[in-house]
Amino acid sequence: MQTEKEDEDDTSPEEYVALSDFTGSGSEQLSFSTGDKLLVHAKSSAEWWWAELEGVIGYVPASYLCKDAAEEEDISLEDPWQDEEYFGSYGTLRLHLEMLSDRSRTETYRQVILSNSSSLRNKVVMDLGCGTGIISLFCAQLAQPSKVYAVEASSMAEYTRQLVKQNGCEEVVTVLQGRAEELELPEQVDILVSEWMGNCLLFEFMVESVLVARDRWLRNGGIMWPSSAAFTLVPCQAESYYAEKMAFWESPYGLDFTPLQILAQQEFFTKPKFSHILEPNDCLSAPCDVICLDMYTLQVTDLEEMKGEFQFCVERSGVFHGFTAWFTVHFESLEAGGATAELNTGPSSESTHWKQTLFMLDRPISVCTGDSISGSIVLRRNPVWRRHMTVTLLWTISSCSEDTDNCQAGRKSFPMWR
Ligand code: J7C
């Protein structure tokens, strides 16, 4: 049967230009530099294309390429923040229901406000990205701030205004609809509170909006909530996910379907798995905070590339399938002698809607107690699509056994999503 696909295969390769440097991982991926001209032979998936550079052929991440000068113009015209889609999704209830139903998240903010209520008295607060206004309402009900500016860019703001009124808080809480970057306020604020964290902490890059608002509207000596954040990593087993997506092809119904495993790897292990639930027992070592953000000193430019290093000591023999990541944010106390509060989204804390994020290796590796897994991680913001990033992991496993040659290394980049 003649299919459209076959027609497509007949078309000649198209020329694309690299928007940014890329270092391929493994022998299947192609490395290139900004400005390189690549010939794209096949658009194998939305994320990975099969391309050629100077006679060498391999997979390249589609998001790093654009057509030629003429089409580049088109891209720059398109919104790299994808705000229409982004704020559109926050204009409906689905995400707000998910966030509000997350008790661990919402209760942490409530507790922070409650335990700092005396210090919040007569203070001016900004709640950036207030959504349905829950944090602003907690402030107004549990403390006595002089003013709360509740800033929300999505159309939810119209309802938030009603909710503020419905709950008798309109004297204190003012809802301002718009992007925080374009905000005009009559005064500076004492406290900037926001729930800005995305998957792997940074995805969505709403943190940029928080930093811009901090520099413009937080008074000298003002307070940031969260005050700091940590990105945590652990090497782990993921036996059931591996079995479900990869080992499955070994003998379905007694047949050998292993030629499909190369596709399975591309399809299921190229991008990180969001909403993974890591069983504490699947951690192969103690977790390690690899990146720490100080919300007072962090700069927008720092977000382009965040690097971290790790050295894990394997505490139990098992199969190393990948790395799992999560984050924790801390809220400093304003009360004398008050304790720092935290929201920990890791496997040993109460579950949250972020769950954890799993980064699968291409091939599982057996490890033994006493082995060490060391390496680095880079979160690289997409140069074009500003809410996206690529996570690159580099690792070396050193075995504790006598055999000195027993040292394996690997490297893998995961687009999230572009
Ligand atoms: N200005 C105002 N509201 C924003 C901005 C911004 N720059 N960025 C995100 N929001 C809102 C968004 O509409 C949603 O209600 C909430 O903040 C996002 C929360 N997302 C998260 N990952 N915590």
Side-chain angles (χ1 to χ4, degrees):
M1 195 173 68
Q2 181 73 15
T3 63
E4 275 179 12
K5 182 82 188 73
E6 281 172 50
D7 286 343
E8 256 174 43
D9 289 347
D10 286 342
T11 60
S12 49
E14 294 171 73
E15 193 174 89
Y16 277 78
V17 180
L19 291 163
S20 171
D21 296 350
F22 175 75
T23 312
S25 90
S27 55
E28 293 249 298
Q29 294 178 7
L30 204 59
S31 300
F32 52 80
S33 312
T34 313
D36 278 350
K37 291 199 158 80
L38 292 98
L39 277 181
V40 174
H41 288 273
K43 296 182 176 170
S44 322
S45 72
E47 292 84 23
W48 292 96
W49 292 349
W50 188 241
E52 181 183 337
L53 174 64
E54 290 158 4
V56 187
I57 201 147
Y59 282 105
V60 295
S63 62
Y64 282 60
L65 307 181
C66 75
K67 263 299 200 31
D68 41 25
E71 288 211 12
E72 218 170 329
E73 244 166 60
D74 277 356
I75 283 185
S76 63
L77 289 177
E78 232 181 287
D79 176 15
W81 284 84
Q82 298 166 288
D83 272 357
E84 207 174 301
E85 186 190 338
Y86 180 76
F87 291 122
S89 69
Y90 283 112
T92 64
L93 275 187
R94 189 177 62 85
L95 294 172
H96 296 289
L97 181 60
E98 188 181 27
M99 294 188 286
L100 292 171
S101 309
D102 180 340
R103 292 194 64 81
S104 176
R105 161 201 182 264
T106 310
E107 281 292 343
T108 300
Y109 280 84
R110 202 177 82 89
Q111 275 305 322
V112 166
I113 288 153
L114 192 57
S115 56
N116 286 284
S117 59
S118 39
S119 301
L120 283 170
R121 203 184 155 82
N122 294 326
K123 294 291 194 315
V124 179
V125 179
M126 183 197 305
D127 172 5
L128 196 164
C130 69
T132 52
I134 189 85
I135 297 173
S136 298
L137 292 168
F138 287 156
C139 283
Q141 290 202 329
L142 306 172
Q144 277 123 40
S146 63
K147 189 84 229 157
V148 179
Y149 295 106
V151 184
E152 173 56 45
S154 79
S155 59
M156 191 53 62
E158 295 155 35
Y159 289 90
T160 308
R161 217 167 264 136
Q162 289 181 38
L163 300 179
V164 166
K165 205 157 179 217
Q166 192 81 7
N167 289 281
C169 296
E170 71 271 32
E171 302 272 276
V172 177
V173 180
T174 301
V175 177
L176 301 164
Q177 180 170 5
R179 229 179 179 281
E181 289 82 343
E182 284 136 32
L183 187 66
E184 285 304 332
L185 291 181
E187 60 190 327
Q188 291 213 301
V189 305
D190 301 299
I191 292 138
L192 172 45
V193 60
S194 179
E195 194 280 87
W196 52 262
M197 298 81 73
N199 280 297
C200 277
L201 186 63
L202 292 178
F203 186 71
E204 288 178 43
F205 284 91
M206 180 179 165
V207 66
E208 174 169 328
S209 307
V210 175
L211 301 181
V212 169
R214 175 198 67 190
D215 293 346
R216 178 105 198 262
W217 296 110
L218 188 66
R219 74 158 169 80
N220 258 336
I223 297 298
M224 294 291 287
W225 274 341
S227 320
S228 62
F231 180 83
T232 308
L233 210 59
V234 74
C236 66
Q237 306 201 115
E239 191 58 55
S240 57
Y241 185 62
Y242 186 82
E244 181 191 325
K245 303 294 188 206
M246 188 59 75
F248 175 85
W249 307 105
E250 283 163 15
S251 62
Y253 304 93
L255 298 166
D256 183 349
F257 272 30
T258 51
L260 296 182
Q261 285 186 323
I262 181 76
L263 285 185
Q265 188 182 303
Q266 290 285 340
E267 214 168 309
F268 305 119
F269 298 167
T270 301
K271 291 182 287 184
K273 178 182 178 254
F274 281 178
S275 293
H276 179 63
I277 297 173
L278 178 64
E279 296 296 334
N281 274 341
D282 281 335
C283 295
L284 292 167
S285 87
C288 172
D289 288 348
V290 289
I291 295 172
C292 294
L293 310 183
D294 178 333
M295 292 304 292
Y296 292 95
T297 55
L298 183 67
Q299 299 295 314
V300 172
T301 49
D302 299 335
L303 301 173
E304 293 303 322
E305 197 171 77
M306 314 247 24
K307 289 185 184 165
E309 291 185 348
F310 50 79
Q311 175 138 31
F312 298 106
C313 178
V314 175
E315 288 170 4
R316 47 181 302 232
S317 299
V319 182
F320 174 31
H321 283 110
F323 292 93
T324 295
W326 64 87
F327 66 82
T328 304
V329 291
H330 314 98
F331 302 80
E332 67 182 280
S333 173
L334 312 184
E335 316 270 317
T340 300
E342 69 167 41
L343 169 56
N344 184 326
T345 66
S348 304
S349 300
E350 193 185 336
S351 70
T352 70
H353 76 286
W354 288 283
K355 303 195 179 74
Q356 288 93 38
T357 306
L358 172 63
F359 298 88
M360 288 294 277
L361 310 185
D362 288 339
R363 273 166 301 280
I365 304 167
S366 290
V367 290
C368 298
T369 310
D371 287 358
S372 88
I373 302 175
S374 55
S376 61
I377 182 168
V378 181
L379 311 187
R380 193 163 173 285
R381 195 171 179 184
N382 189 302
V384 183
W385 304 102
R386 304 305 278 157
R387 295 197 186 277
H388 298 246
M389 64 181 176
T390 294
V391 177
T392 301
L393 285 154
L394 213 96
W395 65 89
T396 304
I397 307 167
S398 312
S399 166
C400 60
S401 75
E402 309 288 273
D403 185 359
T404 43
D405 287 346
N406 207 355
C407 187
Q408 296 189 61
R411 180 184 197 283
K412 188 166 173 180
S413 285
F414 299 82
M416 282 176 69
W417 301 116
R418 293 176 186 250

